[in-house]
Amino acid sequence: MAKQLPYPVMREIFSRFENSEPEPKGELNHVNAYTLVVAVALSAQATDKGVNKATEALFKSVDTPQKMLDLGEDGLIAHIKTIGLYKTKARNVMKMAQILVEEFGGEVPNSRAALQSLPGVGRKTANVVLNMWWQQPAQAVDTHIFRVGNRAGIAPGKTVDQVERAIEDNVPADFQLHAHHWLILHGRYICVARKPKCRACIISDLCQFEEKTQ
């Protein structure tokens, strides 16, 4: 595991990310807070591209918890059966819709604890929603962020929670809001798992990864 990079280096790394992509965006399609929660829940062990394909028609007609209940579980399955674990996810989405209608007035809550009380919503999903919709500097650590954080020394940690905490503790405050998107996109397209594209990497000279590709 790489050592935590010092503050001046961290500041330079995120300055470069910001200069390259001032307003990074998540790649899951959604139309409101509710469809974002659903999309993120569906994306577990699936690609954003696959989820977007499955939800394209769904979100045109189903954009509230009540409309999801009206659609029914079988109707939902018809839309998402191309996504892995679709039966379990469909059950969770329907239970989530029911709870949102009965306990939250059909609105998506803006607290992590309330979000995590919903079926199929873990800490990562809650953090994505808090960050993308409510503009909170929450850090949703996925496999890409975990890899980049440990390789580069941006946020070293043996667990997801440790990496999340390292981002919160060490990324300069003015970069916290977009940090998770910059790191996800960097891991998805540049610092890939098997053959990282180090020659195309804008932070290669600052990164601690010892096995850089030539």
Side-chain angles (χ1 to χ4, degrees):
M1 184 191 306
K3 291 183 179 180
Q4 176 66 54
L5 292 169
Y7 181 84
V9 178
M10 293 284 285
R11 177 141 213 106
E12 175 62 22
I13 283 174
F14 283 92
S15 294
R16 293 184 190 182
F17 283 150
E18 183 177 53
N19 289 335
S20 176
E21 187 69 51
E23 294 289 335
K25 303 294 182 184
E27 297 182 324
L28 280 173
N29 294 336
H30 59 282
V31 298
N32 56 21
Y34 175 63
T35 54
L36 176 59
V37 175
V38 172
V40 179
L42 294 176
S43 71
Q45 300 181 48
T47 65
D48 288 0
K49 186 178 292 185
V51 172
N52 288 340
K53 186 175 181 180
T55 59
E56 182 177 4
L58 175 67
F59 290 162
K60 287 179 179 178
S61 58
V62 178
D63 58 3
T64 68
Q66 185 58 58
K67 290 179 181 178
M68 187 65 75
L69 293 176
D70 294 342
L71 177 66
E73 188 171 326
D74 289 341
L76 175 59
I77 285 175
H79 283 281
I80 68 168
K81 59 187 177 183
T82 56
I83 300 175
L85 305 174
Y86 69 90
K87 289 183 179 179
T88 299
K89 291 176 180 178
R91 281 196 299 273
N92 284 336
V93 169
M94 299 311 296
K95 290 177 184 175
M96 182 201 305
Q98 188 169 0
I99 292 172
L100 287 172
V101 168
E102 294 178 353
E103 299 181 19
F104 294 94
E107 299 295 327
V108 175
N110 64 351
S111 80
R112 182 183 287 114
L115 285 166
Q116 285 189 249
S117 73
L118 300 172
V121 177
R123 186 177 179 89
K124 186 179 79 171
T125 297
N127 282 349
V128 171
V129 176
L130 292 173
N131 182 278
M132 289 181 64
W133 191 259
W134 301 111
Q135 297 293 292
Q136 295 183 23
Q139 308 302 331
V141 178
D142 68 352
T143 55
H144 299 301
I145 292 182
F146 189 85
R147 179 173 65 253
V148 173
N150 277 290
R151 274 182 178 173
I154 292 171
K158 294 182 179 180
T159 67
V160 167
D161 287 346
Q162 287 177 355
V163 171
E164 180 182 334
R165 195 156 51 248
I167 295 173
E168 293 173 344
D169 290 346
N170 297 294
V171 173
D174 49 324
F175 296 121
Q176 286 275 339
L177 180 60
H178 294 315
H180 119 267
H181 277 130
W182 283 319
L183 293 172
I184 284 175
L185 295 172
H186 192 68
R188 185 172 288 167
Y189 297 110
I190 301 296
C191 194
V192 295
R194 294 189 178 182
K195 292 184 179 180
K197 302 172 184 178
C198 298
R199 293 183 67 180
C201 176
I202 61 174
I203 64 166
S204 180
D205 59 315
L206 304 174
C207 168
Q208 291 193 29
F209 186 48
E210 294 181 353
E211 301 173 32
K212 290 187 175 75
T213 55
Q214 300 300 315

